[in-house]
Amino acid sequence: MAGTLKERGPRDVSAPGHPQAILFADLVSYSHHMAEDEAATLRFMQDCFALFDMLSASHHGRVVKTTGDGILALFDRSENAVAFALDVQQRIDEAHDQYAFRIGINTGRVELAQSDAFGHAVNVAARLQTLAQPGGVCISREVIQKLDTPTREKFSPLGPQRLYNLPGTYEPFQYDGGTTLPGKGAGRHVLYLSVIGGLEIHSGGARKSMPQTQDARVLLAYLALAPSHSEAIGRLSALLRPEATPAAARKTTKAALEELKEFVGEGMILQDDVAILNPDFVKTDVGQIVRNAAQGALDDVLLSGGDWVQRILSGLGEVNSAVTSWLALMRSDVTEQLVSVLETEMQRITDEADPAMRGITRAILNIEPCHEGAARRLMIGLRHAGNVAEAMRVYTRLKDNLSSRFGLQPLPETTAAARGEARPAPSVRDPLAPLRIQVRDFEGQSDGAQARLGSFRSEIISGLSRFRSWSVVEGDQGDLSDATSDYLLSASQTSETAPATLTLSAADTGRIVWSEDLDIGAEQMPSSRAQAVSRIAAMFEMYISTDRAGADTRGTDHAIVDDWLKGERLLTQWTKRAFDIAIAKFEDIIGRAPEFAPAHASLASALNVLHVVRPGLQRNRASAKRALDASDIAVELDPLDARNRLALAWSSALKGNFDRAALNMDMAERLNPHSPRTLASCAMGFSFLGEHERAAHVLQHCLDCAPVLLDYQWCYAASVLFLGGDDEGALRAAARSDDRIIDNPGWTAAALARLGRTNEARASFDQLVEDVSAVWDGDTAPTPEMVRDWFVSAYPIRYKAERTALEKALNAAMS
């Protein structure tokens, strides 16, 4: 929003910190209107502010603040906020031809101070406003759950969305007011991008020439398809020039952005080191397909086959590996978004005989041929229409795809539907809610069985952790985890030669969802693991993610996978000897199987923290390059694995390329937004990058996914909380870590020193010196000053002021 803040009255809707509905309204094309007729625009906004005050009071809310082009308002209930929004949009649309507002609504806890509202829920509402169509309203999933059925039916799902600079994935719903803007910003230069099969640009019905440079074309495509249509310039620099120095990359990127700004016109905004593409001025065919699908209108491309997704921007030309990786991720996002939107439409229709159902289910199967839920409902509809032969052809195609891709057979209820014997099984999940699966400790009745089950369990966790749509809670973590998990996965085996019985059950009722005996002998373990992971995916009809499970281990020799898992387990010990053995294992695996991406990522990860495990060891250029090369190879082999992205992010940060680190940290979180393993590492990464608010949100989301973290993850949390200024929180996290990582007493000492607890701080720092001295990688014992310097320099903390603050706290602990 632009303009000057105008303070509102002191009346509160409810006490600060209590859940409230937050509403942002913003005038579309404010700058354009001001340039055309400043006086008329200002008069219009003053009239609107008076209208907003009157309507908010009648809907049990209040306007907290106004800016030159919009408002922030709070309401006691979500229903009232939505009623206000719809009332406003109708009145504005009826009374004015030239103007339109976007409105975004979220609900959550709010802190009020100095005539303003703060908090994560407020930030989400502001981002949702940017997704709304002119004259429309965009609301969060939490808001739509509060609405009655008639009001809810006015909104269509937009599918999974990323909101700029906010962690996680969101599921917004949109009310399109039908505003066509015949004169609302008339004469604007609207560009229409056709990205399927290449990149073409049209304006005013005519084909338009492309930007001259490849860099400008890449940036146009990236910003047009980005969820928020905006990105930090540093991250764009890392995308265009991943191998260049940050300064050189930024110089090139800024030149490309200036070219793009001249090409797009007023639809391109550069401010505060962020590039923004106004979606009112630039639209894409893919975006229109998704919007139409959310309203039940299927574009012909959805019914023509599924290969069109892989052809998005296929004609962009020669691009670097970073752009290639982004293209893969973007296509995956489009696929997931469309399936989510179509699933919602499929569930909305209750009658399989409805002609719309046939189109929706065929569209889903074109994109995801193994989607049993869509296949069941399509077969029932075809049988109802008397087309039994086509129903059986759908079943045969499904069966062939399941067998060839996953080695599975259709579920019993699917086979029954094909035969006309049953209706679809009821859904076992809320399609919009991420699931939490707790993988219990597997139980063997002998030492040999226990060892084999431990290896099998590690493979299961590795496979399940790669899904984007659920979180995996590791181990038996007590009543807290049971109460907040959706499903429990357990296994038992009576002897080394007996099959293992895997059971997936509902956490709340104990109902058995799936149980199967699997042979987990050395030769059979890879296929059994893939079968278990795929079958669990089948239970939730989340096939869109199933290809990610074991994508880099499918067809790999079991001994290689087992050796890699052993190396991964060694890394969790955080000792010098364990790391030395693990690194040797990863290097051996790479020599035997150079195409095995996890080994490259694990090698990079081990090298990235070797100087922490072996304090005193100097991190040299050769070691840094070795880690960066390994992570680059991992990403090239599998760009859609969050582990590989994390390895590249940390390798880049330790080399001082923070822009590239931020870009890949973003992608890692985006690839696996519900994995505690990924989120804990991302939270620490964002903290070291100086993005403390985001780090705190990611850490909280991590705790939401797995209320009880592993001990080393609590060490990560301690650093996040300290750098974010929460010293008490840092102490609590450090206390829960059991000092799993040798640096943990250092964060404790720094937090205690800042709290003025000098004696305790000194004791913790002395403990750090003692622990570090025992494993110091040098010829002589370290002095306290040497330990301090090692601690301060061990982490890729981006900003000097934050490193200085850490050093100051440790100096206080030493005194």
Side-chain angles (χ1 to χ4, degrees), residues 105-107 124 128 138-145 170-173:
I105 305 174
N106 187 35
T107 184
V124 172
L128 290 174
C138 189
I139 64 177
S140 66
R141 176 177 175 271
E142 291 75 14
V143 170
I144 202 167
Q145 289 177 329
Y170 297 81
E171 295 279 356
F173 292 75

Side-chain angles (χ1 to χ4, degrees), residues 542-612:
M542 294 300 294
Y543 286 105
I544 211 63
S545 297
T546 303
D547 263 340
R548 303 302 317 132
D552 52 11
T553 60
R554 190 176 298 139
T556 303
D557 182 81
H558 172 69
I560 289 173
V561 177
D562 195 46
D563 284 348
W564 168 67
L565 289 169
K566 290 177 182 176
E568 282 283 292
R569 287 194 291 273
L570 285 167
L571 295 184
T572 64
Q573 296 180 23
W574 288 93
T575 66
K576 174 181 176 180
R577 175 171 171 75
F579 264 64
D580 288 345
I581 297 173
I583 288 172
K585 277 187 176 295
F586 298 143
E587 290 174 330
D588 176 65
I589 292 170
I590 290 170
R592 292 153 53 198
E595 301 297 313
F596 185 64
H600 293 279
S602 296
L603 175 61
S605 298
L607 293 172
N608 283 336
V609 295
L610 192 58
H611 62 292
V612 176

Side-chain angles (χ1 to χ4, degrees), residues 791-811:
F791 189 93
V792 172
S793 63
Y795 317 105
I797 298 175
R798 182 170 194 169
Y799 297 110
K800 182 179 179 180
E802 295 185 1
R803 291 195 302 273
T804 301
L806 175 59
E807 183 175 9
K808 181 180 178 181
L810 291 176
N811 285 335

Side-chain angles (χ1 to χ4, degrees), residues 297-454:
L298 303 182
D299 193 281
D300 289 343
V301 72
L302 292 178
L303 302 175
S304 65
D307 65 330
W308 66 271
V309 175
Q310 299 308 314
R311 292 189 289 110
I312 295 176
L313 292 176
S314 58
L316 194 56
E318 186 175 349
V319 294
N320 63 46
S321 59
V323 176
T324 300
S325 296
W326 163 70
L327 287 171
L329 177 56
M330 178 269 299
R331 290 164 184 160
S332 175
D333 281 347
V334 169
T335 301
E336 183 174 350
Q337 186 176 6
L338 269 169
V339 170
S340 177
V341 164
L342 291 168
E343 279 183 330
T344 302
E345 282 298 296
M346 181 177 70
Q347 291 171 3
R348 186 180 61 81
I349 301 174
T350 58
D351 184 2
E352 281 78 13
D354 189 324
M357 174 64 77
R358 195 172 305 171
I360 291 169
T361 51
R362 287 193 183 280
I364 293 174
L365 289 168
N366 278 339
I367 301 171
E368 183 39 68
C370 293
H371 196 296
E372 289 194 60
R376 284 197 296 269
R377 301 201 68 177
L378 176 57
M379 289 186 292
I380 291 172
L382 289 169
R383 277 187 164 274
H384 185 275
N387 197 342
V388 177
E390 179 61 18
M392 293 308 299
R393 280 192 288 270
V394 171
Y395 178 75
T396 300
R397 285 193 294 269
L398 173 70
K399 185 176 181 180
D400 290 345
N401 278 309
L402 282 171
S403 177
S404 62
R405 291 172 66 179
F406 310 124
L408 298 176
Q409 292 296 311
L411 296 169
E413 56 263 37
T414 304
T415 302
R419 295 170 178 168
E421 298 172 356
R423 295 187 60 79
S427 176
V428 298
R429 66 181 182 92
D430 178 346
L432 300 180
L435 295 166
R436 182 183 292 122
I437 301 175
Q438 180 181 350
V439 183
R440 293 245 164 143
D441 293 338
F442 290 0
E443 299 178 357
Q445 300 302 313
S446 68
D447 291 343
Q450 190 64 51
R452 181 61 54 80
L453 275 173

Side-chain angles (χ1 to χ4, degrees), residues 601-653:
S602 296
L603 175 61
S605 298
L607 293 172
N608 283 336
V609 295
L610 192 58
H611 62 292
V612 176
V613 178
R614 297 175 59 181
L617 179 70
Q618 294 297 316
R619 182 175 171 82
N620 54 43
R621 289 185 178 181
S623 177
K625 184 178 186 303
R626 187 179 170 201
L628 188 59
D629 289 346
S631 55
D632 272 329
I633 293 171
V635 168
E636 184 176 349
L637 289 170
D638 189 351
L640 296 181
D641 191 332
R643 295 173 305 196
N644 302 341
R645 290 287 173 187
L646 277 174
L648 183 54
W650 284 107
S651 299
S652 300

